[in-house]
Amino acid sequence: MNSKLTETQQKAICSKLGNVKLKLLYKASIHGFTGADFHQHCDNKSATVSVGYNKSGHVFGGYTSQPFSQSRQFVNDDQAFLFSFSREKLNTYPVTNAPYAVKMDMNSGPNFGDTLILVYKNRKEMYSNPGSLGSSFHKKLYNFTAEKMHGNNLDLTECEVYQVEESSQFENPWRTVNWNSEQKKTLMERIESYKPSISSVSEARVLLVGPVGAGKSSFFNSFKSIFKGHITSQATPGTSSTSVTTLFRSYTVTPGREGKSLPLVFCDTMGLEAEVGAGLNIAEISNIINGHIPDRYQFNSSVPLQSEAQTFRKNPELKDKIHCVAYVIDASKISIMSQKMEDKLKAIRKTVNSSGIPQLVLLTKIDEVCPLVKEDITNVYKSIYIKELMQEASIRIGVPLFCVVPVKNYSEVLRLDTNIDILLLSAVDQMLHLVDDFYDEQRK
């Protein structure tokens, strides 16, 4: 059987479920549009994703962690959700009244609490009740609109049910990491003692670029926390849909309370937004990497800094320019990245490539997409799913796989964790290796 659900759509759904893959169990056009056919292939199998396709081209459905049966009873499932696709973008509608999340219906296909029913009453149709009618529990069961879910078209062309299966993990990690305090100490010492190979440059300058909410500011705060010995928050992290960072900032780190700053500067920018005229203006990238923009410059999404402006640095030296660009990408969103965002990143990469500046990807929030990694961060290089996301990031951003580095920023805990620190320090260590390559090219 061939899946009608596209690879991108499957990845979008799996990104909500963790380190999993989908196995097709039931396809109505082959097995039949009846409740009996559905139950024959899907009963007693969990968890499942049910997908409906209608004549107007809408793709929608639901997830339940509970096995289907023919008991005619409602089943409690606080993990259930409905979903729909707007093109390739996944919209989800979590259950709000878990005891009625799923109904075991003998004469229909998948039934999500009498709110959404596929293969309704053994017909090539669906039933939809977004909450405007029905009993009190229907009104707040799943919050969706019929127009957005399925365009008010109840005629099905296909119905599929997939079993959710755990993806296997590698027996041996595909990248070797020493997860111990000695490795952390070694990495810290290597970063502290780093010295640029060009005498006119005292600090490596790394530019952080990425979509709003990906974790640019959080990455710097997390790295700084390691050298301070406690959680810090100098750069303001954001959680909203628009960029919290509006100024160009150059951040340094001083270990402990006193002493000499690390030979490394992180430059934070306004976050990227998919829409034209919003977020960082990609025309500003050339000004940034070539050292024309001063610290605390106020970004303007509409107009980049002009060469005749008073704040424009006219004759920057190598020490003022960017020596490495790090794209900060949310692992949970890489598979559902919009075409507009991907186009912006490609345009930035083209500009950076023309300057010969090395680039890498920081893949953040890896614990949010893989239960294996959430359970133990040292499983990061054992997870097949994380490797697949890294490979996808490599392709979408256009950098070699060895330039894709998974990290976890500090966002919830109050104490440092050695293994999280090792991932963060390893990422910076890789940046400095790339910076050295850049300096070698500058001397030619």
Side-chain angles (χ1 to χ4, degrees), residues 307-321:
S307 58
E308 61 272 15
Q310 186 176 359
T311 54
F312 187 88
R313 185 185 286 136
K314 298 187 182 299
N315 298 300
E317 300 177 22
L318 181 60
K319 66 181 180 63
D320 304 312
K321 298 180 181 182

Side-chain angles (χ1 to χ4, degrees), residues 45 65 103 147 164 175 317 392 394 407-408:
K45 295 177 181 178
S65 64
K103 186 176 181 181
E147 179 63 34
V164 179
R175 279 184 184 171
E317 300 177 22
E392 185 168 2
S394 170
V407 295
K408 171 177 166 51

Side-chain angles (χ1 to χ4, degrees), residues 183-212:
Q183 177 67 5
K184 175 181 173 178
K185 182 181 178 182
T186 298
L187 289 167
M188 291 180 70
E189 289 176 348
R190 197 149 69 203
I191 292 169
E192 283 188 84
S193 62
Y194 176 78
K195 185 177 180 180
S197 57
I198 294 181
S199 58
S200 62
V201 177
S202 60
E203 304 165 319
R205 292 176 62 84
V206 177
L207 176 65
L208 302 176
V209 178
V212 171

Side-chain angles (χ1 to χ4, degrees), residues 94 112 115 219 234 239-240 284 288 307 345:
F112 291 87
T115 298
F219 173 78
Q234 180 181 355
T239 56
S240 63
E284 204 77 90
I288 296 172
S307 58
L345 288 167

Side-chain angles (χ1 to χ4, degrees), residues 9-18 20 22 47-51 60-66 68 77-85 90-98 100-102 110-113 115-116 141-144 149 164:
Q9 290 168 337
Q10 289 189 48
K11 286 183 176 180
I13 293 171
C14 288
S15 72
K16 297 292 183 184
L17 303 175
V20 300
L22 301 181
T48 55
V49 172
S50 302
V51 189
F60 48 88
Y63 164 83
T64 176
S65 64
Q66 299 300 312
F68 287 111
D77 186 2
D78 60 4
Q79 299 177 49
F81 62 85
L82 299 184
F83 62 85
S84 64
F85 283 96
L90 178 68
N91 309 297
T92 58
Y93 317 97
V95 66
T96 57
N97 200 346
Y100 301 100
V102 185
N111 182 332
F112 291 87
T115 298
L116 181 73
L141 193 51
Y142 298 96
N143 293 320
F144 69 93
M149 174 75 80
V164 179

Side-chain angles (χ1 to χ4, degrees), residues 1 21 34 97 134 167-169 195 295 350 402 409 420:
M1 291 187 298
K21 59 184 179 181
T34 71
N97 200 346
S167 290
S168 59
Q169 66 182 81
K195 185 177 180 180
D295 190 31
K350 183 177 180 180
F402 73 84
N409 294 334
I420 294 174

